[in-house]
Amino acid sequence: MKKRTVYAWGSAIIIFIVLMIVTPTIPQSQAYHNFADQRSFFGIPNALNVISNFPFLIIGLIGLILCYYPDDYFRFSLRGEKVGWTCFYIGVAAVAFGSSYYHLHPDDATLLWDRLPMTIAFTSIMAIFVIERIDEHKGTYSIVPLLLAGLVSILYWRFFDDLRPYALVQFGPCLVIPLMAILLPPMYTQSTYWLWAAGFYLLAKVEEAADKPIYSWTHHILSGHSLKHLCAAMVPVFLTLMLAKRTVQTERVSLYTIWKRSRGKGSEEESLECNYSNVAVEETR
């Protein structure tokens, strides 16, 4: 293992330990389980919060199938990509079962099964980004450690009632992935889909926080939490569209560089127009 990799992992571990020392514990609020929409339909308690998880199962299964059939539809170029995306789609499909189980009887014990598959999806995405944009081998070898780190964060919360490690696993990728999508040159085209996915996840978190106000604004038709499930399911939808449409880039250029170039071209065109308009026109007699 290279010295730079050792220093990077060492620095990350030290920063994590320092944060755990200097920050207060974050216990799980029991008010979290008190959702706005608690209606039952057809004998299903909290019915819409349960049923709205169904899209995760559909897109998760579609993604898994397309990873392998027909004839490697997504055209993976790197060794670890298929493993990473397989883990991601397994996590997405499992969200449908874990989240539905939780919403049938919301409490801390069932919440564990809601968060576990989400953690698989989050950590898989981080590994995929490392594979594609930093180093194929490091990314491939990071899949299992990242999955284990996600599992440990869930167990730490469950046994010590402290959400700090889980918050890092959940929100870390939400901050890092959009930055990496913009700044690091991709191997494939269609990188803007990453930003669409991040945008919908952000919208889902806003809807989750506004669960009761949204339920009131919609005259008790839909709650923010049900909408959150639907918006969050759009994340794997956009990523699946990206995988289906992308091709290998001939020139690896980051989104930031592309935006910078297009802005420069725009300024150059504006300058040319100004210069052209200042040219004196001779009158013909």
Side-chain angles (χ1 to χ4, degrees), residues 98-142:
S99 185
S100 296
Y101 177 60
Y102 164 62
H103 284 289
L104 288 170
H105 183 69
D107 61 20
D108 283 0
T110 54
L111 183 57
L112 177 129
W113 301 105
D114 179 27
R115 286 177 170 164
L116 185 58
M118 286 193 290
T119 303
I120 293 171
F122 295 141
T123 51
S124 300
I125 283 291
M126 279 302 300
I128 289 163
F129 246 86
V130 175
I131 290 168
E132 184 191 324
R133 306 211 179 200
I134 298 175
D135 185 274
E136 177 188 354
H137 299 293
K138 289 174 186 174
T140 303
Y141 294 136
S142 73

Side-chain angles (χ1 to χ4, degrees), residues 1-251:
M1 189 180 287
K2 292 181 181 178
K3 282 186 178 179
R4 191 168 59 180
T5 306
V6 174
Y7 291 150
W9 277 106
S11 301
I13 291 167
I14 290 168
I15 290 169
F16 174 74
I17 292 170
V18 170
L19 285 173
M20 290 294 288
I21 293 170
V22 301
T23 57
T25 59
I26 306 174
Q28 177 63 59
S29 169
Q30 294 308 299
Y32 178 81
H33 307 304
N34 184 27
F35 298 104
D37 188 358
Q38 300 183 15
R39 293 172 295 175
S40 296
F41 297 121
F42 308 108
I44 303 173
N46 309 308
L48 290 184
N49 283 343
V50 172
I51 295 167
S52 56
N53 285 293
F54 185 65
F56 288 107
L57 178 61
I58 299 301
I59 190 61
L61 290 177
I62 289 172
L64 273 174
I65 291 167
L66 293 179
C67 277
Y68 295 90
Y69 307 101
D71 297 326
D72 194 12
Y73 181 79
F74 290 144
R75 302 181 298 277
F76 296 123
S77 301
L78 303 175
R79 186 183 61 176
E81 280 187 293
K82 185 177 285 191
V83 178
W85 284 108
T86 298
C87 291
F88 172 73
Y89 282 116
I90 288 172
V92 169
V95 166
F97 297 103
S99 185
S100 296
Y101 177 60
Y102 164 62
H103 284 289
L104 288 170
H105 183 69
D107 61 20
D108 283 0
T110 54
L111 183 57
L112 177 129
W113 301 105
D114 179 27
R115 286 177 170 164
L116 185 58
M118 286 193 290
T119 303
I120 293 171
F122 295 141
T123 51
S124 300
I125 283 291
M126 279 302 300
I128 289 163
F129 246 86
V130 175
I131 290 168
E132 184 191 324
R133 306 211 179 200
I134 298 175
D135 185 274
E136 177 188 354
H137 299 293
K138 289 174 186 174
T140 303
Y141 294 136
S142 73
I143 293 173
V144 172
L146 285 171
L147 289 172
L148 288 174
L151 176 61
V152 168
S153 74
I154 294 286
L155 294 176
Y156 186 88
W157 155 66
R158 192 68 187 97
F159 286 108
F160 299 103
D161 193 24
D162 185 359
L163 286 167
R164 286 177 297 168
Y166 175 72
L168 182 64
V169 168
Q170 184 181 21
F171 295 110
C174 298
L175 297 172
V176 172
I177 285 174
L179 285 173
M180 289 172 73
I182 293 168
L183 298 175
L184 297 182
M187 180 176 179
Y188 300 100
T189 59
Q190 309 296 337
S191 280
T192 49
Y193 278 98
W194 285 108
L195 301 184
W196 280 105
F200 267 90
Y201 188 76
L202 178 62
L203 179 59
K205 297 309 288 182
V206 171
E207 289 167 341
E208 181 181 34
D211 182 31
K212 291 176 181 175
I214 290 173
Y215 192 53
S216 176
W217 296 337
T218 60
H219 301 285
H220 297 182
I221 296 172
L222 275 175
S223 69
H225 202 85
S226 296
L227 287 173
K228 173 236 179 176
H229 288 161
L230 299 176
C231 272
M234 289 302 295
V235 172
V237 168
F238 276 109
L239 296 182
T240 303
L241 287 172
M242 177 193 72
L243 290 175
K245 294 174 72 173
R246 71 183 188 175
T247 55
V248 176
Q249 294 220 103
T250 51
E251 182 189 3

